[in-house]
Amino acid sequence: MTSKQISYPQLAFVDIETTGSHFDRDRITEIGIKSLCNGEIRIWERLINPQTFIPQNIQRLTGISPQMVEDQPSFDEIARELERELDGKIFVAHNARFDYGFIRASFKRIGIDFKPKVLCTVKLSRLLFPSQSRHNLDTIISTHGLTVSARHRALGDADLLLQFWQECERQFGKEKMIDSINHWFI
């Protein structure tokens, strides 16, 4: 009996850090992406000058200070590179409306229409682990024994999403994960 080779569409595990929680008012300070394409992982990360104040509570949470971003490019300056990096990939994020909303609003401000397929790992967690009472990232980290490299930094959190995906694949198999991709876009 021959088993068919199952492959995923290209996936981009995305996390951002921002100056606050409102994508109309606040701005992105960091983007981290771990892409899974044909079984290979590609890394893309950038600090971004938000061209606005970074509140103290955000600086404490992320460790991103005004000094770290003052000489970094603005979103406008990295937008085309980011667009190429995400092109054709499914945008995977935890509480995806937040990350996707910020990136989409940032693109919109410079006239780029950004509308990828989006998969939310909160929804994925609820689907695959319905008996789990909480589905926030800290709960997922502890429940599944994920390795934290840099919590509340974009690439570190993007890596956690990739680890979660890989754990789900280990427990449920590629076919179930492809079904999840096909049914759980926001």
Side-chain angles (χ1 to χ4, degrees):
M1 177 182 240
T2 306
S3 67
K4 63 180 182 175
Q5 181 68 18
I6 299 171
S7 62
Y8 297 123
Q10 294 183 20
L11 303 172
F13 298 89
V14 181
D15 189 75
I16 63 171
E17 302 305 328
T18 66
T19 61
S21 60
H22 302 283
F23 56 79
D24 288 331
R25 179 182 66 222
D26 296 306
R27 297 295 180 261
I28 297 170
T29 57
E30 186 176 43
I31 301 174
I33 303 169
K34 284 220 165 174
S35 295
L36 181 59
C37 305
N38 301 318
E40 294 189 20
I41 298 169
R42 175 186 163 111
I43 297 170
W44 189 96
E45 74 175 317
R46 299 290 181 278
L47 279 170
I48 297 171
N49 185 334
Q51 302 178 313
T52 192
F53 176 72
I54 303 173
Q56 287 295 320
N57 64 320
I58 300 293
Q59 290 183 52
R60 282 190 298 275
L61 178 68
T62 66
I64 299 172
S65 68
Q67 297 77 20
M68 289 173 66
V69 296
E70 67 186 357
D71 294 328
Q72 298 300 318
S74 66
F75 185 88
D76 301 14
E77 295 172 295
I78 62 98
R80 292 293 177 193
E81 181 184 354
L82 176 61
E83 182 182 35
R84 284 189 299 274
E85 182 62 32
L86 294 172
D87 186 46
K89 296 175 184 167
I90 294 174
F91 186 106
V92 183
H94 202 74
N95 191 16
R97 289 190 189 281
F98 179 84
D99 301 83
Y100 169 70
F102 261 94
I103 292 176
R104 184 168 183 222
S106 298
F107 275 128
K108 185 177 182 180
R109 280 191 283 280
I110 59 172
I112 297 174
D113 189 28
F114 180 65
K115 291 184 180 176
K117 290 182 177 179
V118 179
L119 178 65
C120 180
T121 53
V122 172
K123 291 180 179 181
L124 180 66
S125 181
R126 287 178 182 146
L127 171 72
L128 298 177
F129 303 98
S131 63
Q132 190 173 298
S133 62
R134 300 189 67 187
H135 299 275
N136 62 49
L137 196 50
D138 289 325
T139 299
I140 288 173
I141 291 166
S142 63
T143 301
H144 300 288
L146 306 183
T147 304
V148 178
S149 62
R151 187 71 175 99
H152 298 295
R153 289 301 300 267
L155 191 60
D157 287 353
D159 181 63
L160 291 168
L161 301 180
L162 174 60
Q163 288 181 55
F164 176 60
W165 181 269
Q166 291 168 330
E167 177 61 19
C168 291
E169 181 184 306
R170 187 186 69 69
Q171 289 189 42
F172 298 99
K174 276 190 172 184
E175 282 189 48
K176 175 74 171 177
M177 299 309 292
I178 288 173
D179 286 345
S180 298
I181 289 170
N182 292 329
H183 293 100
W184 285 93
F185 296 114
I186 65 166

